[in-house]
Amino acid sequence: MSSVLRPGVQERVRALLESPPDLHDGYLDVLGPTAEPTPTIAQRVMQSTFLPQIYERVWRPVGFNLAKGWPVGPDTAAEHTLARDWLGLAQPGDVRKPAATVLDVACGPGNVTRALAAGVGENGLVVGLDAAHGMLARAAADSTGDVAYVRGNAVALPFRTDTFDAVCCFGALYLFDDPWAAVDSMARVLKPGGRLIILTTRRPPLPVSRLSSELLRTLSGVRMFGDREVTRALTDRGFTDLKQRRYPLMQLVAASH
């Protein structure tokens, strides 16, 4: 494993960015030592130094699979397969793969980023973006092929308009202080006809669920979205061809821009 960003890939990513980045621990950094607002409990957990060590093997598969209704709901491998399918990418065993440019928003240690890269051809490019140093250092150390990582703000993406063929945001929208600003930013960097896929929380349609979800948001910073909140937000922003799968505590939504 190497944390060195290959020069050719580095230059391709630099061309996508609106401002010059610094190279740091194998990833490009456009945030620098800027002062950030005090994070919520959930955001502090994501920025901890311990979580990147257990995220891919424990935190992500156990927590998300239970929220998706394990053992009935899809496991991580099925989730990745569906993401590649809905984004118009290939599957790992396919002979032909598109030379797509793909963005993975709030990529963490790069587990989904690498899964998306498995569906992209050799002339394609997959970029993972996150704000946490520890997550990106781990992602860059595990990076292979045409995959690069950028430290940036997911709510105000640092990329040029109409840049990506596909954008993915798995397991992060519910952590953002302004999730709809993040959706606006994802829409901005998508090319016309590009596809967006989001995996986020779902508030069960129960009488007490709205009250309990507001309490959860107040205490931890985790937002629970209703069944129509995300789809309505995408429709309002001109997205079409909506797809949605609902699980006990999560939902998967995709659309064309």
Side-chain angles (χ1 to χ4, degrees):
M1 302 292 183
S2 173
S3 61
V4 177
L5 185 58
R6 293 195 292 115
V9 174
Q10 180 182 148
E11 293 310 312
R12 291 178 66 189
V13 178
R14 285 180 182 272
L16 304 180
L17 292 164
E18 293 182 313
S19 59
D22 295 321
L23 183 61
H24 181 80
D25 285 347
Y27 58 86
L28 298 171
D29 191 342
V30 298
L31 285 183
T34 56
E36 294 291 335
T38 302
T40 64
I41 292 174
Q43 290 168 344
R44 284 200 296 272
V45 170
M46 298 305 293
Q47 294 174 11
S48 70
T49 57
F50 174 68
L51 187 59
Q53 310 305 317
I54 66 167
Y55 186 89
E56 189 168 353
R57 294 182 180 273
V58 180
W59 180 282
R60 184 68 162 73
V62 173
F64 278 55
N65 288 352
L66 287 175
K68 289 180 292 182
W70 184 90
V72 178
D75 61 11
T76 302
E79 176 187 305
H80 291 167
T81 297
L82 191 60
R84 288 187 292 261
D85 182 38
W86 283 11
L87 288 177
L89 307 179
Q91 299 303 331
D94 292 346
V95 175
R96 295 184 178 180
K97 297 180 179 180
T101 304
V102 183
L103 174 64
D104 183 18
V105 177
C107 64
N111 51 307
V112 175
T113 317
R114 294 191 300 275
L116 297 175
V120 173
E122 61 181 19
N123 293 322
L125 176 66
V126 180
V127 181
L129 176 136
D130 206 284
H133 285 291
M135 289 290 192
L136 289 173
R138 179 60 184 268
D142 293 341
S143 178
T144 59
D146 289 331
V147 178
Y149 294 95
V150 173
R151 180 171 176 259
N153 188 341
V155 178
L157 293 169
F159 302 100
R160 301 181 188 278
T161 299
D162 298 344
T163 295
F164 294 96
D165 299 296
V167 173
C168 174
C169 181
F170 270 25
L173 193 68
Y174 52 81
L175 297 174
F176 300 153
D177 295 330
D178 189 345
W180 310 127
V183 172
D184 286 335
S185 193
M186 294 179 216
R188 180 185 65 80
V189 302
L190 265 177
K191 295 177 182 178
R195 292 196 61 82
L196 169 67
I197 189 166
I198 295 171
L199 176 67
T200 190
T201 52
R202 174 179 179 250
R203 184 176 66 243
L206 301 172
V208 297
S209 63
R210 184 177 293 273
L211 178 61
S212 59
S213 65
E214 286 300 321
L215 180 61
L216 177 65
R217 181 182 173 190
T218 300
L219 294 176
S220 69
V222 174
R223 182 190 298 258
M224 300 296 289
F225 293 100
D227 284 350
R228 298 180 181 177
E229 277 189 89
V230 179
T231 54
R232 184 169 58 243
L234 295 181
T235 300
D236 290 346
R237 287 159 175 79
F239 281 86
T240 60
D241 190 25
L242 265 71
K243 299 179 181 180
Q244 183 181 34
R245 290 196 180 180
R246 291 175 287 186
Y247 309 111
L249 294 175
M250 302 206 82
Q251 58 182 306
L252 190 63
V253 181
S256 296
H257 185 228

